[in-house]
Amino acid sequence: MNPPQVIPTHVTIIMDGNGRWARERGKDRIYGHFEGVESVRAVVEAATEWGIRYLSFFAFSEENWGRPAAEVEGLMQLMLESMRKELPTFRAHGTRFVVLGNRGRLSAKLNATIDDIMAQTADGEALTMILFISYSGKWDILQAARRMAEAGGDTLEPYLVTAGIPDPDLLIRTSGEKRLSNYLLWQTAYTEFVFTDTLWPDFRKEQFRSALEEYASRDRRFGKIK
Ligand code: IPE
Ligand code: IPE
Ligand code: MG
């Protein structure tokens, strides 16, 4: 597979459709989440190969806490196990692993694991892989505004959880839904959006490449005239 013609600096993905993928197969929703982890692995591998610098994923929204406890627990357990399992690969590929979101809502065990993996990959210089967990765009703006006011500052960016990370050039959402679902509200001001009907567990390297091809055809003007 040839690399895409244009490589954006930051690609972010709203991974959606795991539940529907499982239902289509007469399986429990968690089965879809398990298969979704394989898609994350495939997309991270492709991003590393193509030299993408930042790749982020919406893994769990603040609103997702409202799902049945068994699904929430299953997802938390899956995230914990998956990040542990991927650590050697992260280290081998120079991947810096970062988790952003309302970390105060996560279990002590998950937080300890996240801290450990972030520390062990902090020197990664190839791809920065970001997982947004317990994240809400409105929450991010609010916590940033509070901290900015406390510090007497007048620019918000340094206080958003994404401080230091370039805004996404491309946002991909799978499963046919065409909404932001309270994801990166501030940071997507000039992001290009690609929506695909593919359910997240079916989204692999080929589908990722297609989304990047669509991005390559866009004319980004940032309000100016070319
Ligand atoms: C995305 O898949 C994963 C999370 C939101 C955690 P869903 O679980 O939302 O799957 P659908 O949208 O119900 O098919
Ligand atoms: C958005 O998907 C959140 C994540 C992918 C983590 P949802 O499935 O929760 O969003 P809605 O409910 O369809 O808007
Ligand atoms: Mg969904």
Side-chain angles (χ1 to χ4, degrees):
M1 199 186 289
N2 291 329
Q5 304 160 35
V6 178
I7 302 296
T9 303
H10 182 177
V11 180
T12 195
I13 305 180
I14 301 181
M15 311 182 274
D16 201 7
N18 295 353
R20 277 163 282 172
W21 188 91
R23 196 179 57 209
E24 280 177 3
R25 286 157 182 79
K27 307 241 183 174
D28 191 73
R29 295 176 57 83
I30 200 75
Y31 184 73
H33 298 315
F34 267 91
E35 201 55 34
V37 172
E38 295 308 315
S39 296
V40 174
R41 194 170 291 133
V43 168
V44 169
E45 197 180 297
T48 305
E49 182 189 326
W50 296 334
I52 292 174
R53 299 301 312 277
Y54 295 86
L55 178 63
S56 57
F57 298 91
F58 200 8
F60 192 87
S61 74
E62 197 80 67
E63 290 79 10
N64 289 149
W65 288 110
R67 293 189 180 194
E71 181 169 351
V72 171
E73 279 157 30
L75 276 166
M76 293 296 152
Q77 191 59 34
L78 181 61
M79 287 191 281
L80 193 142
E81 282 166 16
S82 307
M83 55 183 87
R84 273 244 166 276
K85 219 158 101 188
E86 288 309 303
L87 178 60
T89 311
F90 291 155
R91 293 197 41 90
H93 293 172
T95 308
R96 178 165 70 113
F97 178 76
V98 175
V99 169
L100 299 176
N102 190 353
R103 297 258 322 255
R105 293 194 71 171
L106 307 183
S107 73
K109 191 176 167 197
L110 181 55
N111 270 324
T113 302
I114 291 168
D115 285 339
D116 180 40
I117 297 176
M118 282 178 58
Q120 289 202 56
T121 62
D123 59 353
E125 284 181 349
L127 172 76
T128 295
M129 175 195 175
I130 304 155
L131 275 192
F132 285 90
I133 305 179
S134 193
Y135 181 83
S136 135
K138 288 187 180 180
W139 163 82
D140 193 7
I141 293 167
L142 201 60
Q143 67 80 28
R146 282 206 188 98
R147 296 197 297 135
M148 182 184 76
E150 270 165 30
D154 57 7
T155 47
L156 198 72
E157 262 97 0
Y159 301 96
L160 293 166
V161 296
T162 49
I165 296 165
D167 285 346
D169 300 289
L170 167 64
L171 179 148
I172 301 166
R173 183 167 187 156
T174 58
S175 89
E177 309 301 348
K178 297 179 181 68
R179 53 178 172 261
L180 266 180
S181 299
N182 202 3
Y183 189 36
L184 298 166
L185 301 179
W186 180 284
Q187 297 88 338
T188 52
Y190 270 102
T191 300
E192 295 293 329
F193 290 78
V194 169
F195 298 103
T196 166
D197 288 338
T198 305
L199 302 175
W200 177 248
D202 290 328
F203 191 95
R204 301 288 162 94
K205 189 177 185 181
E206 199 184 312
Q207 290 75 17
F208 190 28
R209 193 181 185 286
S210 300
L212 289 166
E213 288 309 336
E214 189 172 335
Y215 172 81
S217 74
R218 302 286 176 86
D219 182 15
R220 302 184 78 190
R221 291 188 293 277
F222 301 96
K224 300 181 180 69
I225 291 168
K226 272 191 176 164

